[in-house]
Amino acid sequence: MRRAHCRCEAVRNYSYAQAAEKLGCKVRFLRDRISRLPHQRMGESVAFCDCELDLIRAMHTVVPASVEALVNPPAPSAAPTAVPSLHSIRPSKGRKTARVS
Protein backbone atom coordinates (compact mmCIF):
# COMPACT_ATOMS: atom_id res chain seq x y z
CA MET A 1 0.00 0.00 0.00
CA ARG A 2 1.50 3.34 -1.08
CA ARG A 3 1.37 6.09 1.52
CA ALA A 4 0.46 9.41 -0.08
CA HIS A 5 2.82 11.45 2.12
CA CYS A 6 5.86 9.23 1.55
CA ARG A 7 8.47 10.40 -0.98
CA CYS A 8 11.19 7.98 0.08
CA GLU A 9 12.88 6.02 -2.72
CA ALA A 10 13.94 3.40 -0.20
CA VAL A 11 12.07 3.54 3.10
CA ARG A 12 14.37 3.61 6.09
CA ASN A 13 12.45 2.97 9.30
CA TYR A 14 13.61 4.47 12.59
CA SER A 15 12.77 3.35 16.11
CA TYR A 16 11.56 5.75 18.79
CA ALA A 17 15.13 6.36 19.96
CA GLN A 18 16.50 6.90 16.45
CA ALA A 19 13.60 9.18 15.49
CA ALA A 20 13.99 11.22 18.68
CA GLU A 21 17.70 11.63 17.98
CA LYS A 22 17.05 12.77 14.39
CA LEU A 23 14.34 15.21 15.56
CA GLY A 24 16.36 16.46 18.51
CA CYS A 25 13.64 15.65 21.03
CA LYS A 26 13.08 13.16 23.80
CA VAL A 27 11.65 9.69 23.21
CA ARG A 28 8.92 10.53 25.73
CA PHE A 29 7.72 13.39 23.48
CA LEU A 30 7.10 10.90 20.66
CA ARG A 31 5.56 8.23 22.90
CA ASP A 32 3.17 10.68 24.59
CA ARG A 33 1.91 12.06 21.25
CA ILE A 34 2.04 8.95 19.07
CA SER A 35 -1.71 8.99 18.38
CA ARG A 36 -1.37 12.46 16.79
CA LEU A 37 1.91 11.87 14.93
CA PRO A 38 2.40 10.22 11.53
CA HIS A 39 4.00 6.81 11.99
CA GLN A 40 3.88 3.18 10.93
CA ARG A 41 2.62 0.48 13.23
CA MET A 42 3.41 -3.19 12.80
CA GLY A 43 1.69 -4.96 15.65
CA GLU A 44 3.02 -3.27 18.77
CA SER A 45 6.11 -1.94 17.01
CA VAL A 46 6.22 1.68 15.88
CA ALA A 47 8.49 3.00 13.15
CA PHE A 48 9.07 6.35 11.47
CA CYS A 49 10.43 6.99 7.97
CA ASP A 50 12.18 10.21 6.87
CA CYS A 51 8.97 11.61 5.37
CA GLU A 52 7.11 11.10 8.63
CA LEU A 53 9.92 12.85 10.51
CA ASP A 54 9.62 15.77 8.06
CA LEU A 55 5.86 15.92 8.72
CA ILE A 56 6.44 15.90 12.48
CA ARG A 57 8.93 18.78 12.10
CA ALA A 58 6.40 20.74 10.04
CA MET A 59 3.63 20.07 12.58
CA HIS A 60 5.72 21.53 15.39
CA THR A 61 7.36 24.44 13.58
CA VAL A 62 6.59 27.78 15.19
CA VAL A 63 6.92 30.91 13.05
CA PRO A 64 6.59 34.22 14.94
CA ALA A 65 4.21 36.75 13.41
CA SER A 66 7.07 39.15 12.65
CA VAL A 67 8.85 36.49 10.60
CA GLU A 68 5.59 35.41 8.92
CA ALA A 69 5.05 39.02 7.81
CA LEU A 70 8.51 39.05 6.21
CA VAL A 71 7.99 35.73 4.44
CA ASN A 72 4.36 36.26 3.40
CA PRO A 73 3.61 39.99 3.22
CA PRO A 74 -0.10 40.81 3.54
CA ALA A 75 -1.91 41.29 0.25
CA PRO A 76 -2.98 44.86 -0.44
CA SER A 77 -6.58 45.19 0.57
CA ALA A 78 -9.26 47.06 -1.32
CA ALA A 79 -10.09 50.56 -0.17
CA PRO A 80 -12.23 50.42 2.94
CA THR A 81 -15.86 51.21 2.40
CA ALA A 82 -16.83 54.65 3.61
CA VAL A 83 -18.93 54.73 6.72
CA PRO A 84 -21.65 57.37 6.55
CA SER A 85 -21.51 60.07 9.18
CA LEU A 86 -24.35 60.34 11.66
CA HIS A 87 -25.45 63.65 10.10
CA SER A 88 -26.06 62.00 6.74
CA ILE A 89 -28.28 59.26 8.14
CA ARG A 90 -31.99 59.99 7.75
CA PRO A 91 -34.90 57.99 9.14
CA SER A 92 -36.73 55.83 6.65
CA LYS A 93 -40.19 56.81 5.61
CA GLY A 94 -42.79 54.82 7.44
CA ARG A 95 -45.38 52.71 5.65
CA LYS A 96 -48.48 54.51 4.73
CA THR A 97 -51.46 52.85 6.26
CA ALA A 98 -54.98 53.15 4.98
CA ARG A 99 -56.93 55.55 7.12
CA VAL A 100 -60.30 54.30 8.19
CA SER A 101 -62.91 57.11 8.57
Side-chain angles (χ1 to χ4, degrees):
M1 176 179 176
R2 177 84 176 135
R3 297 170 304 148
H5 67 276
C6 191
R7 305 176 311 276
C8 299
E9 293 295 323
V11 176
R12 163 88 200 267
N13 287 329
Y14 301 103
S15 66
Y16 274 116
Q18 293 167 324
E21 183 178 337
K22 286 186 75 75
L23 290 170
C25 67
K26 297 184 187 249
V27 172
R28 173 115 189 215
F29 174 85
L30 297 173
R31 287 188 188 277
D32 289 350
R33 293 163 180 79
I34 194 62
S35 65
R36 296 182 304 246
L37 298 175
H39 64 282
Q40 303 163 55
R41 184 174 295 274
M42 282 80 57
E44 292 184 20
S45 300
V46 171
F48 303 90
C49 75
D50 287 313
C51 295
E52 290 159 346
L53 297 180
D54 290 343
L55 287 171
I56 293 169
R57 275 188 206 94
M59 289 170 63
H60 293 88
T61 297
V62 177
V63 180
S66 59
V67 175
E68 181 69 30
L70 292 173
V71 175
N72 297 323
S77 61
T81 57
V83 177
S85 69
L86 289 177
H87 295 291
S88 67
I89 298 175
R90 301 283 177 237
S92 65
K93 296 187 172 150
R95 287 200 267 160
K96 293 184 180 182
T97 57
R99 294 188 84 135
V100 179
S101 329

